[in-house]
Amino acid sequence: MSTPVISSREADVLALLGEHLSNAEIAAQLFISVRTVESHVSSLLRKLAVPDRRALSRRAAEFAPVQMAAPVLPAPLTAFVGRVRERGELAEALKKHRQVTAVGPGGVGKTRLALAVAAELAGEFADGVWFVDLAPVTDPGRIGDAVAAALGVGEQPGRGIDDSVFAVLADRQALLVWDNCEQIRDGVAPFLERLLAACPGVRVLVTSRARLMVPFERVFPVPPLSRDGGGESEAVELFLERAAAVGLSWDESVRDTVVALCERLDGMALAIELAAARCPTLGLDGLVAGLSDQLRILAGGPRAADRHRSVRAVLDWSHDLLEPADRALLRRVSVFVAPFTAEAAAELAGFAPLDPGAVADGLAGLAEQSLLTVTPSAAGTRYRALETIRQYGAERLDEAGETEAVRSRHVEWCLDRAAGLLDAGGTDWRARFDAVAEDLRAALAWAAEQPGLRADAHRLALSLAESAFTRNLPGESQQRYEQAAALAGADAEAGESLRLAAAVAGCRRLGDDMFRLHRAAAEAARRAGDLAGTGRDLAAAATVAYRFSSEFTRIPAVEEVMALLEEARKLSGAGAPDPSAADPAVADPSAAVADPSAPAADPPDPSASAAVALAEAAVLADAFGAVQGATDNTVEETIALAERAVALAHRAGDPVAESAALDALSGARSWAGDSFAAAAAARRRIDLLTPLPPTPARTHELLDALAMASGTALGAGGLAEARRWGRQLAGHPLLAEVGHHATSWLLVADAFAGRIGEVLTGSGRFLDAWERGGRQQSFSLGPAAASVAMVHGLRGDRAARAEWLGIVDCAGTSEEYRHGYGAILDAMVLLHDGDAAEALDRLAPEPEQVWKWVTWIWLHWYVALRAEASALAGHPDARARTAAARSLVAGNPVATAHVDRADALLDGDLPRLLDAAKAFEAAGSRYQSARTLLLAGGEHAAAGAAVLAELGLGR
């Protein structure tokens, strides 16, 4: 039976079944209908082939839900009033059209109407409804980030956040509510067009003061509250309900007065609510009198043409009734774009004429007048102004001439918070970052445009870049580091920011950006007069082109990279390498001096020399096996250049550079067939990197080091080590959105160890992430998919095996599969099935004929299995092959056990065969141990069959 592939929503339902929730409780948590839950439960029962809910609950732990938050709509603090007709019409529009824009002036009630309709339609969307508040977003390029944050989706390395959003929504049936889009309409329209094209099951309800002007848009004008029906109208009902909320009640005699008042307010919801909030202090008569004076300015004008003027009039009136200190407080806190605390408000607004000690009382008073809303949070009470009121406050701030002073204080406040974020740490770090992130972005956007605040903007960009990286927002981190480079006051500072940006791009698997940014850093170093630094950065760019060639969309031309390397050599003073030198870490500086009478040259810069040495190993000797790499370099030359790079990086005292050089050495040693040395170099990388702080460069190196450590440990027969490094890689937070890359080596290690259940469970995460990630191809994805296919072959599930071999065709390369890992994994299945001759045919080429594909980590497995297949198939060279294999794999416990088993079969030596079974068990390969017992026959075969059945391989 094939591995059950469950959808993202089914995984969510299954997880809640594991918590023993009822269908109704699951529906409430996921914001979907009970009917939809029932449908998912039925599908899960069928897919997992279990009889009842109890059995489903037991299986829940095997399937992790997709990394996407549960949909939650904001819960308004007050009741929704009226709008019966509009709710019905807007709901119908959303059923017929994929994108609807609710258009109307500020304060008309667009947001409340959209939320009410979304709540009513929740049951129509299997994957629920999602609310995205775009009010704090000022950069049109950050719309995808806001949507991703609402969905709980992180960025996938190798693609931007926008594409990550499209991938996770591709198969969803969901409604997105985008609120307050007017200030970033230029970004909303193109993002929407791409979203709707990529996600056919998604519908989007937008609220905006103006239409988006796109061809697929359905515009729904939101009118003011109806005044039809006099004292029974929706407008009057809203006023009375809000007045009752503050403890007031009137008899029927006041209804005519309220009707007139609501008429004068044009039925604008916000104006009515603001007026009702004043009733406790002014009374209805005072309210009517005050508003009458304020609204007189509308007389004679085309009121219907600009109903927003009634809101402005009420805001002006409410503002004029405030004490001077409260007016100052309202306009000053308008610079906050996210909910803020009383302490934050005191820091920002607490200067003359406002006493900092009076801020808390002032906030409470503004909240009582509905000019601020109160938002409870785990960190305490927070306040927020509606977007319309915030914009009004910003206008008043400008009129008071306080914009520069208050926004400058806001920048200082943000700098302090940004610094405190990383300094404080703690388990609540993520929540604290999210609480201030939008303010940091807004402050940076303003400060970047102020010539006198360029230094502050630079500091803020660096802080935001570092925090964003720690928060697992690498796309924004790279953007902020590049912004910091543009804001830097010195070229040396710009260069450092560009190097950090390049490291983040590496974490994102964006080779083109790494190459571009290292070259930009070189130019910054050149402008700063740092020639050695220029050479170092040019060498880094050259290395990237070869080391990460599979992560480029356009691989730089070989001639271009060679030119960079040559210039790096000249600028760094490193000179040409001499691999035959006794001490490869020492370059002779005098060799580059043409005139003995000339002044002595400065000794080469250690870091630049190390960088050039690594570039030479990468470009000249192809230590990393690049896509564009040459094939005519000797193994000895590659090892010598890699060792030179390691020694120079060590002398430079740079652990990250040393790790990169060790990666080259690991590759070089693998080309030489020295699997143990390759594994040792990979382990040393982890030892170097683990104690270091989690900078972008260290993180990039560590992710690569974990993958290499897992793979090379597998190649040396260290199954437990391979699994340990694989688990660390799979659990790294930066790979949370790319389960295929995260779990690839763990799947391979588990498959070789015969951990069938773990492979079947992990394959679900791998496949889901691979599909959402755009069906990528990588040197590690092919082996992972082939390992899953092997497990299905061992289980006798031909359909599932064929399905996964189809995935191998897309995830890996045909040559690697045909001659490398594919030959090994296919042979394991054939030997399991007793087809020794066919297995031998699959492994027919001599190892030196396929060295390019097997020498990296597969060599020991290839020769050991080839020897075993020769023994089982009765090949005349079987003994010679086992002897050759034994010499090569000595020290590899699993491969040695394979060879021992082959020799025991050739000799008919039962005790030796049983010893091989014990050796497999001790090495962590229960499957091979059980298969050895089967081959031993008799009572041993029964014991082996029992273990295979326990592993899920019973026939």
Side-chain angles (χ1 to χ4, degrees):
M1 184 175 181
S2 62
T3 303
V5 178
I6 65 175
S7 71
S8 301
R9 178 54 74 197
E10 287 171 343
D12 295 333
V13 171
L14 185 57
L16 295 178
L17 283 171
E19 298 176 16
H20 306 288
L21 270 61
S22 68
N23 286 357
E25 290 169 327
I26 294 172
Q29 283 213 23
L30 298 182
F31 226 87
I32 57 180
S33 68
V34 174
R35 176 176 53 80
T36 301
V37 175
E38 293 171 348
S39 174
H40 286 316
V41 171
S42 297
S43 175
L44 287 167
L45 290 169
R46 183 181 69 256
K47 288 184 177 182
L48 301 184
V50 294
D52 52 33
R53 291 172 65 93
R54 180 176 298 180
L56 278 180
S57 298
R58 289 196 294 267
R59 297 290 302 274
E62 299 178 19
F63 297 88
V66 170
Q67 301 300 310
M68 191 166 158
V72 177
L73 290 175
L77 300 178
T78 55
F80 185 77
V81 175
R83 299 286 196 187
V84 175
R85 179 181 61 81
E86 291 92 333
R87 285 160 72 173
E89 292 178 354
L90 182 54
E92 284 302 312
L94 279 167
K95 292 176 182 178
K96 295 177 181 177
H97 305 280
R98 293 191 59 206
Q99 195 273 306
V100 179
T101 304
V103 174
V108 77
K110 301 183 296 295
T111 299
R112 292 298 299 271
L113 174 62
L115 288 174
V117 171
E120 291 175 2
L121 292 179
E124 303 294 325
F125 296 90
D127 294 296
V129 294
W130 304 80
F131 181 80
V132 183
D133 183 9
L134 292 173
V137 181
T138 57
D139 180 358
R142 292 196 53 78
I143 293 170
D145 299 79
V147 177
L151 297 174
V153 172
E155 181 182 336
Q156 296 184 4
R159 55 171 54 193
I161 194 69
D162 292 5
D163 290 330
S164 297
V165 169
F166 303 153
V168 82
L169 289 174
D171 62 348
R172 301 272 181 163
Q173 302 291 324
L175 171 64
L176 307 183
V177 181
W178 292 5
D179 196 31
N180 294 302
C181 292
E182 55 273 354
Q183 81 281 6
I184 47 171
R185 282 193 304 158
D186 292 344
V188 168
F191 186 92
L192 258 179
E193 187 166 4
R194 294 171 59 205
L195 172 68
L196 295 176
C199 312
V202 170
R203 294 175 185 254
V204 182
L205 171 58
V206 166
T207 74
S208 176
R209 296 187 183 187
R211 59 171 298 181
L212 303 178
M213 304 297 289
V214 290
F216 50 81
E217 177 184 36
R218 176 72 173 190
V219 177
F220 183 87
V222 179
L225 286 166
S226 171
R227 280 94 71 206
D228 295 341
E232 304 300 322
S233 70
E234 293 178 346
V236 170
E237 183 184 357
L238 177 64
F239 182 92
L240 295 177
E241 196 279 335
R242 296 297 187 261
V246 293
L248 299 180
S249 62
W250 292 290
D251 56 35
E252 290 298 315
S253 64
V254 304
R255 280 193 177 262
D256 290 343
T257 304
V258 176
V259 168
L261 179 63
C262 291
E263 185 65 37
R264 297 297 300 273
L265 294 176
D266 292 317
M268 298 295 285
L270 178 58
I272 292 172
E273 292 189 350
L274 290 172
R278 280 291 181 179
C279 278
T281 55
L282 297 178
L284 189 57
D285 292 342
L287 183 65
V288 171
L291 284 174
S292 295
D293 290 339
Q294 191 66 36
L295 292 169
R296 193 171 295 119
I297 62 172
L298 298 176
R303 291 165 55 181
D306 188 6
R307 295 184 182 276
H308 184 58
R309 287 190 295 171
S310 60
V311 174
R312 176 56 185 253
V314 173
L315 284 172
D316 285 340
W317 170 76
S318 295
H319 177 268
D320 292 344
L321 289 175
L322 295 174
E323 294 296 326
D326 290 335
R327 295 178 194 172
L329 180 59
L330 179 64
R331 64 178 179 260
R332 291 172 184 177
V333 298
S334 70
V335 301
F336 286 114
V337 295
F340 56 89
T341 63
E343 292 77 12
E347 286 188 49
L348 186 72
F351 62 96
L354 186 58
D355 180 0
V359 167
D361 287 341
L363 293 173
L366 293 175
E368 289 174 1
Q369 308 305 323
S370 292
L371 292 168
L372 295 178
T373 59
V374 180
T375 306
S377 73
T381 301
R382 292 181 179 270
Y383 298 86
R384 187 177 191 178
L386 295 176
E387 183 63 14
T388 298
I389 296 174
R390 197 171 72 83
Q391 292 175 7
Y392 176 84
E395 292 177 9
R396 287 291 187 171
L397 189 70
D398 194 51
E399 291 171 5
E402 293 183 343
T403 297
E404 183 174 352
V406 175
R407 289 201 173 276
S408 295
R409 291 172 73 97
H410 185 233
V411 170
E412 293 175 4
W413 180 84
C414 287
L415 281 168
D416 182 64
R417 293 305 177 278
L421 278 174
L422 294 175
D423 291 342
T427 57
D428 63 339
W429 185 93
R430 177 172 178 158
R432 288 187 287 111
F433 172 83
D434 291 345
V436 299
E438 289 299 346
D439 277 292
L440 301 184
R441 293 162 183 148
L444 174 57
W446 182 80
E449 300 298 323
Q450 312 303 313
L453 293 179
R454 191 179 182 90
D456 285 341
H458 175 249
R459 288 170 53 210
L460 192 52
L462 283 176
S463 294
L464 188 51
E466 187 177 2
S467 295
F469 185 78
T470 305
R471 178 61 177 81
N472 209 11
L473 300 172
E476 181 175 8
S477 178
Q478 180 183 332
Q479 174 195 353
R480 300 305 178 189
Y481 277 127
E482 293 194 52
Q483 187 177 15
L487 291 166
D491 289 318
E493 291 179 339
E496 181 56 29
S497 293
L498 290 166
R499 290 179 203 104
L500 288 165
V504 178
C507 295
R508 300 176 68 203
R509 306 175 70 89
L510 299 177
D512 304 80
D513 277 5
M514 289 184 73
F515 187 71
R516 169 181 63 83
L517 289 164
H518 278 301
R519 296 193 68 175
E523 291 309 307
R526 194 193 303 273
R527 292 192 302 271
D530 180 6
L531 297 185
T534 304
R536 178 194 61 225
D537 291 322
L538 290 175
T543 299
V544 163
Y546 275 69
R547 186 182 181 195
F548 301 107
S549 60
S550 64
E551 297 175 7
F552 279 74
T553 56
R554 185 196 71 82
I555 299 176
V558 173
E559 298 76 14
E560 178 184 5
V561 177
M562 287 296 295
L564 293 179
L565 176 55
E566 185 59 33
E567 186 178 4
R569 281 172 166 171
K570 293 176 181 177
L571 292 172
S572 68
D578 181 9
S580 63
D583 181 359
V586 179
D588 181 6
S590 65
V593 181
D595 182 1
S597 64
D602 292 334
D605 178 90
S607 62
S609 296
V612 170
L614 180 59
E616 288 166 344
V619 177
L620 302 181
D622 191 29
F624 299 108
V627 174
Q628 72 274 35
T631 59
D632 56 354
N633 297 301
T634 65
V635 170
E636 292 77 13
E637 179 188 5
T638 306
I639 292 174
L641 289 174
E643 286 180 333
R644 179 173 184 268
V646 172
L648 285 169
H650 182 73
R651 290 192 177 188
D654 186 342
V656 172
E658 189 174 351
S659 169
L662 283 166
D663 190 28
L665 182 58
S666 182
R669 289 296 187 187
S670 72
W671 298 141
D674 192 345
S675 300
F676 302 109
R683 288 195 304 272
R684 187 172 157 198
R685 294 177 66 192
I686 295 177
D687 292 339
L688 282 170
L689 296 168
T690 299
L692 302 180
T695 63
R698 178 265 192 182
T699 300
H700 183 212
E701 274 298 318
L702 182 61
L703 290 174
D704 184 76
L706 288 171
M708 294 304 99
S710 182
T712 55
L714 179 70
L719 296 180
E721 268 194 317
R723 294 191 69 249
R724 181 167 73 253
W725 304 132
R727 281 197 303 271
Q728 287 190 31
L729 184 68
H732 198 285
L734 201 63
L735 300 183
E737 301 297 328
V738 281
H740 48 319
H741 288 293
T743 62
S744 57
W745 284 113
L746 185 57
L747 282 172
V748 177
D750 279 339
F752 273 83
R755 303 176 75 92
I756 308 303
E758 286 87 340
V759 173
L760 296 179
T761 300
S763 66
R765 179 185 176 191
F766 177 95
L767 181 58
D768 181 65
W770 182 71
E771 292 282 2
R772 288 190 293 113
R775 300 169 67 88
Q776 296 170 323
Q777 185 180 80
S778 166
F779 78 96
S780 63
L781 299 181
S787 295
V788 179
M790 181 199 74
V791 165
H792 284 298
L794 298 180
R795 298 173 70 228
D797 190 339
R798 295 188 177 184
R801 175 169 168 77
E803 179 183 346
W804 277 92
L805 288 177
I807 294 170
V808 174
D809 288 341
C810 299
T813 64
S814 59
E815 290 295 306
E816 286 179 306
Y817 179 77
R818 184 181 305 117
H819 300 302
Y821 61 83
I824 296 163
L825 294 166
D826 288 350
M828 284 189 179
V829 174
L830 293 167
L831 289 172
H832 180 84
D833 291 339
D835 297 330
E838 194 171 345
L840 183 58
D841 185 61
R842 189 71 177 87
L843 299 165
E846 295 291 337
E848 56 268 22
Q849 292 180 275
V850 291
W851 71 271
K852 182 176 181 181
W853 295 279
V854 302
T855 51
W856 179 47
I857 64 171
W858 310 113
L859 180 60
H860 287 188
W861 297 95
Y862 188 90
V863 297
L865 285 169
R866 189 167 183 265
E868 181 179 336
S870 298
L872 287 168
H875 193 278
D877 295 332
R879 290 194 180 277
R881 289 179 176 180
T882 58
R886 182 176 302 284
S887 174
L888 182 63
V889 306
N892 181 325
V894 185
T896 297
H898 274 284
V899 178
D900 286 345
R901 184 166 66 189
D903 274 338
L905 290 169
L906 286 172
D907 296 335
D909 188 339
L910 179 60
R912 193 173 182 186
L913 202 58
L914 296 178
D915 286 342
K918 294 176 182 177
F920 277 123
E921 184 78 27
S925 181
R926 289 192 71 204
Y927 162 69
Q928 292 294 353
S929 177
R931 182 169 170 269
T932 307
L933 293 176
L934 280 181
L935 292 171
E939 60 180 343
H940 306 296
V947 174
L948 290 178
E950 182 184 340
L951 293 174
L953 300 179
R955 295 296 182 91

